Amino acid sequence: MSDPNQDNIKEIDSVVIRFAGDSGDGMQLTGTQFTNTAAVFGNDISTMPDFPAEIRAPAGTLAGVSGLQVNLSDRDILTPGDAPQVLVAMNPAALKTSLPDLEEGGVIIVNTDAFTPANLKKAGYESNPLEDDTLKNYDVIKVPLTTVNREALKDIEGLSTKEKDRSQNFFALGIVFWMFERPLDTTLEWIDKKFGSKPAVAEANRRALQAGYNMGDTLRTFQQRFRVRPASLPPGTYRKVTGNEATAMGLVTAAKKMGKTLFYGTYPITPASDILHALAGLRNFDVRTFQAEDEIAAMGSVLGAAFGGAFAVTGTSGPGIALKSEAMGLGIMLELPMVIINVQRGGPSTGQPTKTEQSDLLQVMYGRNGESPIIVVAPRSPSDAFHMVYEAARLAVRAMSPAVMLSDGFLANSSEPWLIPNPDDIPEIPVEHPAPRDNGHGPFLPYKRDPETLARPWAIPGTKGLEHRLGGLAKAPDTGNVSYDPDDNIAMYEARKGKIARLADVIPEQDVFGPESGDLLVVSWGSTYGAVRSAVAKAQEAGYSVAHAHVRYINPLPRNFEKLLGQYKEVIVPEINGGQLAFILRGLFAMDIHSFAKMAARPFKISEVTNKIEEILG
Amino acid sequence: MSTNNIPLELKLNRKDFVSDQTVRWCPGCGDYAILAQVQKVLPTIGVPKENIVFISGIGCSSRFPYYMNTYGIHSIHGRAPTLATGLAITNPDLSVWVVTGDGDGLSIGGNHFIHAIRRNVDLNILLFNNRIYGLTKGQYSPTSPRGKVTKSSPMGSLDNPINPISLALAADATFVARALDADTKHLGEAFYEASQHKGTSLVEIYQNCVIFNPTEWESISDRRNRAETLLYLKHGEPMIFGKNRDKGVMLDGFNPIVVELGSGITEDDLLVHDETSKELAFILSSMSFPEFPVPVGVIRRVVRPTYTEGLLQQIKEAQDIKGPGDLYTLYTSADLWTISEHDEPQTAQSGELSQDVNEQYVDDLEQEPVETTFIQDLMVENTLADLKPKPPITVDADTSLEKAIRQMNTHNIGCLLITDDKDRLIGIFTERDVLMRVTGLVDDLAAADVGDYMTADPVALTADLPIAQALHEMSVHGFRHLPLVDSEYHPEGIISFRDVINHMKASFTDN
């Protein structure tokens, strides 16, 4: 397609686009297609979906708005972007929910056909925002999408008008492809694959996409086109990956590297279920998924599988982690290796199932009866979940202990490019099971500890001569026999605590972005990494003496952590919770630590963190 | 009870199963008799000691694993079936026993009880039913009769009791039996039969709590009176009881009634026990003393695949179709793009990945022109005919998926060609299609036509074209197979990426 209008193309280094519409409008799909095309083109990308908790909220209402935000850039980006510069709004409700986020002067593409009195009312608009001055500060592109799409598809036979209207999203996508100078190939190929067996539907989508593109190309409705050049990422083969996908692949990898069967016992819960879906399709890897009758059963099955010698894992979210806590305590008492993935969501109670929070940190650290230390790690981005779940596995096996990976709804569903590793380069995870033996060797001692790691032996049923009983009652060292003796109790408590603490020897030291000492250290963990790192980088550019430490190993903390905190005049911890890591750090190190808590069940914006840094440093 | 067919090295005796722990139940507790019978039966079940695991929850009965010299876990309240399920899924060779009570198994663990049973996990569940909470010192339990006066129900309990056998049958239990702690020989037989059953076996044991509920089963368990109070079930035999074997159970409409033999009623009129009948099992589960004798023995026994058998079958099927899992294939099963050292990104690949060719290898070939001079010549000069294409396997569009996939397996090929009534190529159906469009999406393979799942109008080449052309098509579209056709579009052969690689390899060797 020739473009005589080259002058209108503006080179920009990054752009944030949000696709928003009714949950039935296919906006997740539209955004995903755009993202895939941008990724294949070589932009760095970061996405954030935002969908309603209700599967089908009433059409046209604010509750039913589903959106996907994409940030594409010609350089390394870390977040899906603070404020979109381009908004595609398929109806008044989508416009209303997204407008507050939109950057002033941004571009809005609206489907004017959807701005009917009924839809305006459902969205709570008293007058039509397209006609009053609501949008006076924006560049509004009005497209009668329904009408023009029907026109483009009018001679396709075998589809009802309603079915044809379903491809409106592809018309809109075509317009955006034109705006951002993107080829249609990836999406056309996808349409062929997806609708291969339904030629009329495939044709409708193809034609809608093409017609949208042509509309931009020929009518020149738009003031501006944009060009975002490919990013210069490290060489290699890339794919797009979400946190949940990366977690599933990391689990399969860890299982292979242990030489073990992966057992994944879980109960469906948003937003963790996608891990189950991904793993259930991998039976050829000998992945044994088990959909239990409830959260407690899922955790119980993991204990049984771990006893049996599998790499045993569960995934949960929200109230699920509370239900699992008793059985997690038993896991700590039995001293068996297992991984618990908690994809945190908004709480308390049922809270906000599709929104994100970091508010289960204290629950997993301390939310069990008795003194029950557990390993806790947290990935910092979608692709980092691949690495951190592998780390959780490695540490769990080494210490013979449950390990928790704290993911969250934001990074679970967000995506970013992932430099695909060579599986041969990923180290094996050493696993030892004591060998069978004949009678006459004295009793087997299931709690005889390795002097270096303090881990007990992982003897599995089916091994001759190692028959032994484990249980949740207090026990004596070595034999594991039930014991309420005070000295035994102290010894076993110290051992359970000590073996977790000793893992600090085999995790990396805490790294710091910025000066090794100075005015301010920003400490963060989990999915806030992108926003915090970008904000600290900006503050450094502005001349502030500020550094960033992003914690991925929370229990135990890296061995240099306490010393590190002492190198700065002030320490602040931004978190999507009420200040939980700050609370822990104050308790551990008796230091004055600022908390910057955000309880909106939404990720940080870069600007929020930047402002806070400036506020502290003046 | 049979002790045949037990290998010599398994000659174990009761003492092998006794642990070094002191048994700490109350003197006179029925649990002693149960423990003794289990230890007596285990040497006869044909399973090595190291393959036996006892898992319990919380309660008096749940101390059981500590007293067994086998593998075991004393877990948490009500959850023993969940641990046992995870274990049985992990290692199907184990003989896994769940020891639970009426409080542990039916109250806090009621949910897990029914779900383990409906899944038919290979477990033996021993339910010690004393109709009381013993360890918490005497509150009413879910099997206590309504009106039971206990510490927590001084004016009588308001709860209607649950019937464990009926509950298990509602979950479609494949093995249900009942026995009494007082009748030790019969108890041992029930354990043996349970051990031999594949799937979930439930043995309800009427068990005596000597402290808090000592008279609960007195009326039926008294040795002198058992012939009158118990109905010993035997598959295929009429339901007769009584000291003089002069009473029986027969049906009056849908309802069981007790009758006296003689005066016109003979054995032929009585119900005959059939372990395979679920309806009969429900009737038996509803019979309670004193209106009826209490049925004991195997109430229901049917064969159904276990949960783990089904799971292992799925694993095998998945591996047969997809091959054992390969990590790199897993990582790359998405849209890919490649960024090379100095270039801007350019190589877009679709998700159609080859399992037999390392994609990176192909990229390397493309990016290192110095190395490819010889290959380029080879690719341009040699034709597709030089690859010695395999003959195509063709089917009609209305062939069922089942048949099509079987053809692929039979011929050990990765793709089928679909032809019309004039034998012209109209589609291609590949193992990738099986993976992406069929597996898990199509329920009835026999009812679906391959024509609806093929790729229509596939790219096809003629045999006189250079290999480079095929390589180009394969690389641009991500194909692994390409059909060859004549000028009339009749299939002549099929070539794969592997053929190209093999040809290259052979040519290198020749040089």
Side-chain angles (χ1 to χ4, degrees):
Chain A
M1 271 157 272
S2 67
D3 187 1
N5 215 10
Q6 282 289 344
D7 292 346
N8 254 0
I9 296 186
K10 182 178 168 190
E11 291 256 354
I12 49 177
D13 50 16
S14 81
V15 68
V16 179
I17 308 166
R18 184 184 293 178
F19 297 86
D22 213 51
S23 56
D25 281 339
M27 288 292 98
Q28 300 297 330
L29 173 63
T30 310
T32 304
Q33 284 304 314
F34 187 79
T35 311
N36 287 350
T37 297
V40 169
F41 178 74
N43 293 129
D44 196 3
I45 49 154
S46 175
T47 69
M48 174 173 65
D50 183 18
F51 35 76
E54 295 76 16
I55 302 299
R56 281 282 185 273
T61 61
L62 298 174
V65 174
S66 168
L68 187 111
Q69 186 163 315
V70 188
N71 186 355
L72 50 147
S73 173
D74 64 357
R75 55 186 174 181
D76 191 14
I77 45 170
L78 303 169
T79 78
D82 283 3
Q85 287 109 26
V86 178
L87 169 68
V88 179
M90 298 296 275
N91 66 9
L95 178 67
K96 186 155 192 183
T97 52
S98 292
L99 198 56
D101 296 334
L102 194 61
E103 196 172 276
E104 198 157 306
V107 179
I108 305 175
I109 303 173
V110 284
N111 178 11
T112 54
D113 287 335
F115 283 65
T116 60
N119 280 344
L120 288 166
K121 196 171 161 218
K122 277 189 230 171
Y125 275 120
E126 310 233 315
S127 67
N128 189 340
L130 302 183
E131 286 158 11
D132 59 25
D133 60 359
T134 309
L135 305 178
K136 69 175 188 308
N137 292 331
Y138 301 94
D139 182 3
V140 184
I141 299 163
K142 298 177 188 173
V143 185
L145 260 181
T146 314
T147 313
V148 292
N149 188 54
R150 281 183 193 169
E151 177 64 22
L153 270 53
K154 66 171 185 253
D155 54 347
I156 294 184
E157 295 187 358
L159 289 183
S160 65
T161 307
K162 202 174 162 190
E163 286 169 318
K164 286 180 184 174
D165 285 353
R166 279 199 184 149
S167 56
Q168 279 179 45
N169 58 333
F170 277 94
F171 198 103
L173 182 60
I175 297 174
V176 182
F177 275 144
W178 181 83
M179 264 183 97
F180 289 93
E181 251 204 324
R182 287 291 179 270
L184 306 181
D185 314 8
T186 307
T187 300
L188 287 172
E189 221 174 90
W190 180 86
I191 292 173
D192 283 347
K193 264 192 233 165
K194 176 82 180 172
F195 301 111
S197 57
K198 296 175 190 154
V201 177
E203 182 58 21
N205 284 320
R206 260 198 302 270
R207 230 187 276 182
L209 184 72
Q210 197 75 52
Y213 194 98
N214 292 347
M215 187 176 186
D217 208 23
T218 56
L219 295 184
R220 313 214 168 278
T221 324
F222 315 124
Q223 303 297 311
Q224 195 71 64
R225 292 179 79 185
F226 303 96
R227 176 177 291 158
V228 185
R229 294 212 169 268
S232 50
L233 298 171
T237 301
Y238 284 79
R239 63 171 285 179
K240 190 176 68 116
V241 75
T242 67
N244 277 344
E245 288 167 350
T247 302
M249 289 190 285
L251 289 174
V252 174
T253 303
K256 272 231 164 186
K257 295 296 173 182
M258 284 180 205
K260 291 217 156 280
T261 291
L262 173 60
F263 176 90
Y264 190 73
T266 187
Y267 185 72
I269 187 165
T270 303
S273 304
D274 280 340
I275 302 171
L276 169 63
H277 304 161
L279 292 174
L282 300 177
R283 288 270 193 264
N284 60 322
F285 283 84
D286 192 17
V287 172
R288 304 188 186 184
T289 53
F290 171 63
Q291 182 177 315
E293 59 270 25
D294 59 35
E295 293 282 356
I296 297 171
M299 193 64 227
S301 70
V302 165
L303 296 172
F307 185 51
F311 172 38
V313 183
T314 187
T316 190
S317 186
I321 193 70
L323 284 164
K324 285 179 157 51
S325 50
E326 186 198 14
M328 286 165 68
L330 180 62
I332 289 165
M333 204 63 163
L334 301 182
E335 304 194 36
L336 287 167
M338 65 196 71
V339 170
I340 298 126
I341 295 154
N342 181 16
V343 186
Q344 300 165 96
R345 66 188 212 189
S349 186
T350 311
Q352 303 195 51
T354 58
K355 302 291 187 284
T356 199
E357 259 179 27
Q358 300 181 295
S359 48
D360 295 345
L361 176 59
L362 290 175
Q363 160 99 35
V364 302
M365 284 286 288
Y366 307 114
R368 287 168 298 280
N369 62 307
E371 292 290 344
S372 48
I374 200 166
I375 301 161
V376 181
V377 300
R380 65 183 187 192
S381 70
S383 66
D384 194 39
F386 177 85
H387 179 65
M388 291 318 286
V389 86
Y390 167 93
E391 283 292 272
R394 176 176 74 91
L395 299 176
V397 169
R398 183 178 168 94
M400 284 291 282
S401 165
V404 177
M405 182 175 90
L406 281 175
S407 176
D408 66 43
F410 173 39
L411 83 86
N413 286 316
S414 297
S415 59
E416 65 175 355
W418 179 43
L419 176 57
I420 295 172
N422 180 348
D424 299 338
D425 294 342
I426 299 170
E428 304 290 322
I429 296 177
V431 178
E432 257 183 73
H433 296 299
R437 55 185 209 178
D438 291 321
N439 295 334
H441 283 79
F444 170 65
L445 297 174
Y447 282 85
K448 176 105 183 144
R449 297 179 187 280
D450 179 298
E452 187 194 343
T453 64
L454 298 183
R456 69 173 197 87
W458 190 5
I460 54 178
T463 316
K464 193 170 185 265
L466 304 184
E467 291 86 352
H468 64 281
R469 275 68 56 198
L470 305 174
L473 288 170
K475 45 183 70 67
D478 298 348
T479 62
N481 288 338
V482 177
S483 167
Y484 303 149
D485 177 273
D487 291 336
D488 287 351
N489 202 57
I490 292 167
M492 292 301 263
Y493 158 72
E494 293 289 354
R496 285 191 295 265
K497 186 174 141 189
K499 68 180 185 171
I500 307 290
R502 286 192 186 188
L503 290 174
D505 298 337
V506 292
I507 61 173
E509 289 204 341
Q510 180 64 49
D511 58 349
V512 177
F513 171 74
E516 283 173 17
S517 63
D519 293 343
L520 178 66
L521 178 68
V522 185
V523 176
S524 62
W525 66 281
S527 68
T528 58
Y529 168 74
V532 175
R533 175 59 53 97
S534 303
V536 170
K538 277 191 179 181
Q540 288 172 349
E541 278 168 28
Y544 288 107
S545 164
V546 54
H548 179 208
H550 191 83
V551 186
R552 294 152 90 204
Y553 300 85
I554 298 178
N555 198 31
L557 283 163
R559 51 197 175 278
N560 61 333
F561 203 80
E562 182 172 12
K563 190 171 166 221
L564 185 74
L565 293 182
Q567 303 297 310
Y568 301 84
K569 289 179 193 153
E570 312 265 3
V571 177
I572 184 167
V573 186
E575 294 173 87
I576 311 292
N577 58 35
Q580 299 191 6
L581 181 63
F583 180 85
I584 292 173
L585 297 180
R586 285 181 201 128
L588 285 176
F589 305 124
M591 293 172 79
D592 184 16
I593 287 171
H594 298 280
S595 169
F596 178 33
K598 175 172 175 178
M599 276 300 297
R602 302 290 188 285
F604 275 114
K605 290 179 177 172
I606 298 168
S607 56
E608 290 171 331
V609 184
T610 318
N611 293 344
K612 190 75 191 175
I613 293 172
E614 286 171 1
E615 185 189 313
I616 292 177
L617 295 180
Chain B
M1 205 189 313
S2 159
T3 51
N4 297 335
N5 307 324
I6 294 177
L8 198 60
E9 68 269 23
L10 291 184
K11 285 293 180 199
L12 298 161
N13 61 47
R14 194 187 70 83
K15 281 189 180 160
D16 291 315
F17 290 93
V18 177
S19 82
D20 59 356
Q21 298 294 293
T22 314
V23 183
R24 291 209 241 169
W25 289 310
C26 309
C29 177
D31 290 357
Y32 284 96
I34 301 171
L35 177 65
Q37 281 308 311
V38 168
Q39 287 168 339
K40 199 169 157 189
V41 166
L42 287 183
T44 71
I45 66 170
V47 178
K49 188 165 71 112
E50 62 270 20
N51 281 6
I52 298 174
V53 186
F54 278 80
I55 299 185
S56 63
I58 295 290
C60 295
S61 60
S62 295
R63 292 274 178 144
F64 205 95
Y66 289 124
Y67 309 138
M68 296 294 304
N69 188 18
T70 62
Y71 284 93
I73 296 180
H74 176 216
S75 77
I76 45 180
H77 207 10
R79 318 302 173 196
T82 70
L83 279 88
T85 297
L87 181 60
I89 291 175
T90 300
N91 186 351
D93 296 334
L94 301 175
S95 173
V96 183
W97 298 68
V98 171
V99 179
T100 184
D102 42 317
D104 184 67
L106 299 174
S107 197
I108 189 168
N111 194 30
H112 312 308
F113 179 80
I114 54 177
H115 289 283
I117 290 173
R118 79 175 167 89
R119 292 188 186 107
N120 205 31
V121 185
D122 193 12
L123 310 174
N124 308 305
I125 301 178
L126 309 184
L127 179 79
F128 295 18
N129 185 2
N130 57 13
R131 307 183 103 179
I132 200 78
Y133 279 86
L135 196 63
T136 51
K137 300 190 171 51
Q139 301 83 4
Y140 64 95
S141 92
T143 55
S144 300
R146 190 181 159 96
K148 180 85 176 170
V149 175
T150 70
K151 280 182 193 162
S152 61
S153 54
M155 296 172 71
S157 71
L158 299 168
D159 308 21
N160 213 45
I162 200 164
N163 178 330
I165 304 272
S166 299
L167 182 65
L169 291 170
D172 210 2
T174 55
F175 182 101
V176 182
R178 181 189 280 144
L180 260 71
D181 59 358
D183 186 350
T184 50
K185 180 169 174 290
H186 184 255
L187 184 66
E189 285 167 8
F191 293 158
Y192 178 80
E193 297 302 332
S195 77
Q196 300 304 300
H197 178 73
K198 276 288 192 193
T200 308
S201 322
L202 171 69
V203 183
E204 183 194 21
I205 305 154
Y206 283 0
Q207 174 251 0
N208 181 36
C209 176
V210 72
I211 306 294
F212 296 106
N213 207 17
T215 60
E216 184 61 40
W217 304 117
E218 204 175 55
S219 50
I220 59 167
S221 65
D222 187 329
R223 180 185 296 273
R224 291 157 299 183
N225 220 14
R226 268 184 223 152
E228 297 290 337
T229 59
L230 301 179
L231 173 66
Y232 286 91
L233 297 169
K234 284 217 163 61
H235 181 65
E237 293 187 11
M239 297 186 188
I240 300 176
F241 68 103
K243 273 180 190 149
N244 305 317
R245 298 193 57 78
D246 55 354
K247 292 178 203 154
V249 178
M250 63 178 277
L251 271 191
D252 176 18
F254 291 114
N255 301 313
I257 51 169
V258 171
V259 292
E260 304 241 347
L261 290 172
S263 59
I265 293 177
T266 69
E267 275 191 30
D268 294 344
D269 298 315
L270 300 180
L271 270 171
V272 173
H273 185 41
D274 177 0
E275 292 174 346
T276 66
S277 165
K278 191 173 177 184
E279 291 70 27
L280 185 60
F282 267 117
I283 290 171
L284 290 167
S285 78
S286 71
M287 289 165 52
S288 61
F289 191 79
E291 194 189 346
F292 294 99
V294 174
V296 294
V298 178
I299 293 171
R300 185 178 196 226
R301 170 160 42 192
V302 290
V303 176
R304 199 168 78 213
T306 70
Y307 184 92
T308 310
E309 283 169 353
L311 180 66
L312 295 178
Q313 179 63 27
Q314 287 190 351
I315 290 168
K316 185 180 176 300
E317 279 169 24
Q319 290 180 338
D320 286 349
I321 294 173
K322 304 179 193 176
D326 171 69
L327 288 177
Y328 193 74
T329 307
L330 172 66
Y331 301 164
T332 50
S333 53
D335 285 334
L336 306 178
W337 67 96
T338 303
I339 293 172
S340 44
E341 199 68 56
H342 307 293
D343 299 347
E344 294 198 341
Q346 59 214 162
T347 320
Q349 296 168 348
S350 81
E352 300 276 333
L353 280 167
S354 161
Q355 289 183 339
D356 32 13
V357 180
N358 183 330
E359 300 292 326
Q360 199 58 51
Y361 175 50
V362 178
D363 284 347
D364 291 344
L365 284 184
E366 286 171 358
Q367 286 166 12
E368 291 175 33
V370 182
E371 291 294 324
T372 59
T373 315
F374 166 69
I375 293 172
Q376 275 176 339
D377 292 344
L378 186 75
M379 295 292 108
V380 174
E381 282 163 21
N382 289 8
T383 68
L384 296 174
D386 295 322
L387 296 178
K388 304 188 182 60
K390 290 186 197 66
I393 306 293
T394 63
V395 295
D396 298 331
D398 58 3
T399 307
S400 73
L401 278 179
E402 183 185 47
K403 201 167 162 196
I405 294 169
R406 201 173 335 116
Q407 287 263 338
M408 291 163 80
N409 284 336
T410 312
H411 295 281
N412 192 23
I413 49 170
C415 81
L416 284 181
L417 301 184
I418 322 298
T419 51
D420 66 10
D421 52 2
K422 297 196 175 66
D423 292 332
R424 287 174 307 203
L425 179 70
I426 56 165
I428 187 165
F429 182 71
T430 69
E431 45 196 21
R432 191 80 198 163
D433 295 322
V434 175
L435 210 59
M436 303 305 289
R437 299 178 179 175
V438 177
T439 308
L441 300 173
V442 181
D443 290 326
D444 188 353
L445 293 178
D449 291 348
V450 71
D452 293 329
Y453 296 88
M454 67 184 190
T455 301
D457 302 320
V459 174
L461 301 176
T462 51
D464 55 353
L465 290 168
I467 295 174
Q469 180 97 26
L471 198 57
H472 172 75
E473 296 288 349
M474 287 170 163
S475 136
V476 170
H477 300 289
F479 299 146
R480 261 179 286 158
H481 300 93
L482 268 178
L484 300 185
V485 291
D486 65 18
S487 55
E488 308 287 337
Y489 231 64
H490 299 128
E492 285 193 324
I494 189 95
I495 55 165
S496 70
F497 217 146
R498 174 164 288 197
D499 296 334
V500 179
I501 300 291
N502 286 344
H503 185 67
M504 283 187 205
K505 198 175 116 199
S507 307
F508 276 121
T509 322
D510 292 345
N511 279 272

